[in-house]
Amino acid sequence: MFAVKHNDVDYYEGVIETLNKIDVSNTTTNILLKSFVETKLLKEISLSAYDITEGKGKKEDFLKLLTSYNTEQGSAVTKEEFEFVSDDIEELLDKTFRKPGLRWRLSALNRMLGSIRGGDFGFIFARPETGKTTFLASETTYMAEQLSSEAGPILWLNNEEGGAKVKVRCYQAALGAALAAINSNPAGARKAFMDKTRGKLMLLEPKGSISKQMVEKLVHQYKPSLVLYDQIDKLTGFTNDREDLRLGAIYQWARELGIAYDFPSIAVCQADGTGEGQKWLTMGNVANAKTAKQAEADWILGIGKTPDIGYENLRYLHASKNKLAGDPDSDTSLRHGRQEVIIRADIARYVDIN
């Protein structure tokens, strides 16, 4: 590839073969390959200079190699570009407030949080079997209906439940239909589902874990309108001696990825044992976290439930953090509001009480 000797060929082929086998970012790969080019040119310059001193080489060949090296170095040093925020208040208001982003099916969330827009990162958390996946199915199928034909898809990165089971619940949520109704007319259900979502809801079910590198490749390829991390704490490719800091690094990376590609993100994680049986979950109930997770989020929504008889279908939404601008119809008194809603497990939807 860049070699001049047989041994160099073996070395470089071995390095490239190793890169194909391990989980390494594109940036690291590019840096390594550029170093190969630089090393090759420097070696050739050194040999050419030695040949000239021995009376064997040509000065023209040496200068040609030196020019090639300087050109390569010049192309590697690009002018850093800076982007500053506009002073145009009309533009700022359109981007952050006036023009809606992705709206929620639940009116309660439109009043509390408002739209989620490009670069917004937040997460929901709850105890097991509260209805986190049902919440995602209910809301994202509604968001899929809002996307234009030119918009990128919704990427649902699923490493929690079986993909087929989750996709069936998406059918139920999109159509507001019970499983028996879908089963009685699957062809009709598929047509109605595709008419509503237009194939914009893409559910990933990997063989094995979902890695940081895998997500970056997916985002680069599909240019999504929304990314769901279900569940985000299980992503691989992050290390730290302290678990809370490792998880914080995941959340920071997810937030920065959304900013870089201008899409909103919804992550899912667990509430710890202190949230069991609690209606109104707070940031202190987030599992495996002190501050690192919470600090990276623009919004955090806790979903609580109680074991009390007669309240099995009630869920308690608490916006324990909210840095979103909202929409013109959002209620500023509910920025950190608490709202009761109903979970309709039979049709995989959350519905407003009033």
Side-chain angles (χ1 to χ4, degrees):
M1 182 176 174
F2 309 117
V4 293
K5 295 181 180 179
H6 179 70
N7 289 342
D8 291 337
V9 173
D10 292 340
Y11 169 73
Y12 291 130
E13 287 182 346
V15 171
I16 293 171
E17 183 179 352
T18 301
L19 287 174
N20 288 329
K21 292 179 180 178
I22 62 176
D23 188 5
V24 60
S25 70
N26 290 335
T27 300
T28 300
T29 301
N30 288 335
I31 291 173
L32 183 59
L33 293 177
K34 286 179 180 178
S35 74
F36 288 167
V37 174
E38 183 177 357
T39 300
K40 171 184 176 290
L41 287 172
L42 287 172
K43 183 184 292 187
E44 291 180 351
I45 290 170
S46 175
L47 292 173
S48 179
Y50 177 78
D51 286 344
I52 290 174
T53 61
E54 293 292 313
K56 302 176 183 177
K58 295 180 180 179
K59 186 177 179 181
E60 294 79 7
D61 293 339
F62 172 79
L63 292 175
K64 187 181 296 183
L65 286 170
L66 193 60
T67 301
S68 178
Y69 175 76
N70 289 332
T71 301
E72 181 66 28
Q73 290 297 101
S75 66
V77 180
T78 58
K79 183 179 179 181
E80 188 171 2
E81 295 182 0
F82 298 95
E83 186 173 337
F84 296 94
V85 178
S86 170
D87 290 322
D88 187 338
I89 188 60
E90 294 285 349
E91 179 184 339
L92 295 173
L93 288 171
D94 284 343
K95 186 174 182 179
T96 63
F97 184 69
R98 289 173 177 169
K99 292 183 179 179
L102 293 175
R103 300 267 289 178
W104 305 90
R105 187 187 298 277
L106 283 170
S107 295
L109 291 182
N110 289 320
R111 293 197 302 271
M112 285 197 293
L113 301 175
S115 296
I116 52 174
R117 298 174 171 89
D120 292 337
F121 171 76
F123 64 88
I124 67 167
F125 70 104
R127 292 293 291 159
E129 295 192 23
T130 297
K132 296 185 290 294
T133 302
T134 296
F135 175 89
L136 291 182
S138 180
E139 294 301 333
T140 57
T141 50
Y142 180 72
M143 291 176 177
E145 295 179 31
Q146 302 169 45
L147 298 177
S148 67
S149 57
E150 298 81 16
I154 295 174
L155 289 181
W156 186 328
L157 308 176
N158 171 53
N159 56 17
E160 180 66 6
E161 296 186 57
K165 180 181 176 182
V166 174
K167 201 59 177 280
V168 168
R169 280 154 78 180
C170 290
Y171 263 79
Q172 290 180 263
L175 305 181
L179 182 58
I182 293 174
N183 187 51
S184 67
N185 184 12
R190 173 176 169 75
K191 183 181 185 306
F193 179 79
M194 295 305 293
D195 286 345
K196 279 180 169 289
T197 65
R198 301 186 307 285
K200 293 292 187 179
L201 185 56
M202 299 176 63
L203 179 66
L204 177 71
E205 186 179 34
K207 292 179 171 60
S209 60
I210 299 177
S211 69
K212 171 186 175 183
Q213 184 185 38
M214 183 189 301
V215 177
E216 290 173 347
K217 287 181 179 177
L218 286 166
V219 165
H220 181 73
Q221 180 175 345
Y222 290 101
K223 305 296 188 293
S225 295
L226 172 67
V227 173
L228 311 179
Y229 300 95
D230 183 20
Q231 294 194 6
I232 190 170
D233 291 7
K234 295 182 179 181
L235 289 178
T236 62
F238 301 85
T239 58
N240 198 288
D241 293 337
R242 281 174 45 184
E243 179 65 3
D244 62 313
L245 295 182
R246 184 189 72 84
L247 293 172
I250 297 176
Y251 285 58
Q252 179 182 0
W253 162 83
R255 180 174 181 273
E256 291 174 353
L257 188 66
I259 292 172
Y261 284 87
D262 195 32
F263 61 80
S265 309
I266 302 175
V268 182
C269 69
Q270 302 286 6
D272 64 17
T274 63
E276 186 66 33
Q278 299 297 314
K279 287 184 179 180
W280 310 111
L281 301 181
T282 70
M283 286 190 277
N285 299 123
V286 177
N288 301 315
K290 296 181 180 180
T291 305
K293 284 184 181 182
Q294 297 90 324
E296 297 300 331
D298 295 303
W299 58 271
I300 300 173
L301 185 72
I303 306 177
K305 74 170 185 176
T306 69
D308 299 339
I309 296 174
Y311 293 84
E312 296 89 346
N313 295 325
L314 280 181
R315 294 295 181 267
Y316 304 88
L317 307 183
H318 178 208
S320 55
K321 182 176 182 180
N322 182 7
K323 295 168 63 179
L324 301 177
D327 295 319
D329 62 347
S330 298
D331 187 341
T332 55
S333 68
L334 294 175
R335 284 189 58 80
H336 299 94
R338 304 180 179 198
Q339 293 282 295
E340 295 182 6
V341 295
I342 296 172
I343 183 172
R344 288 283 309 275
D346 58 321
I347 59 171
R349 280 191 184 180
Y350 277 58
V351 298
D352 291 289
I353 292 179
N354 47 44

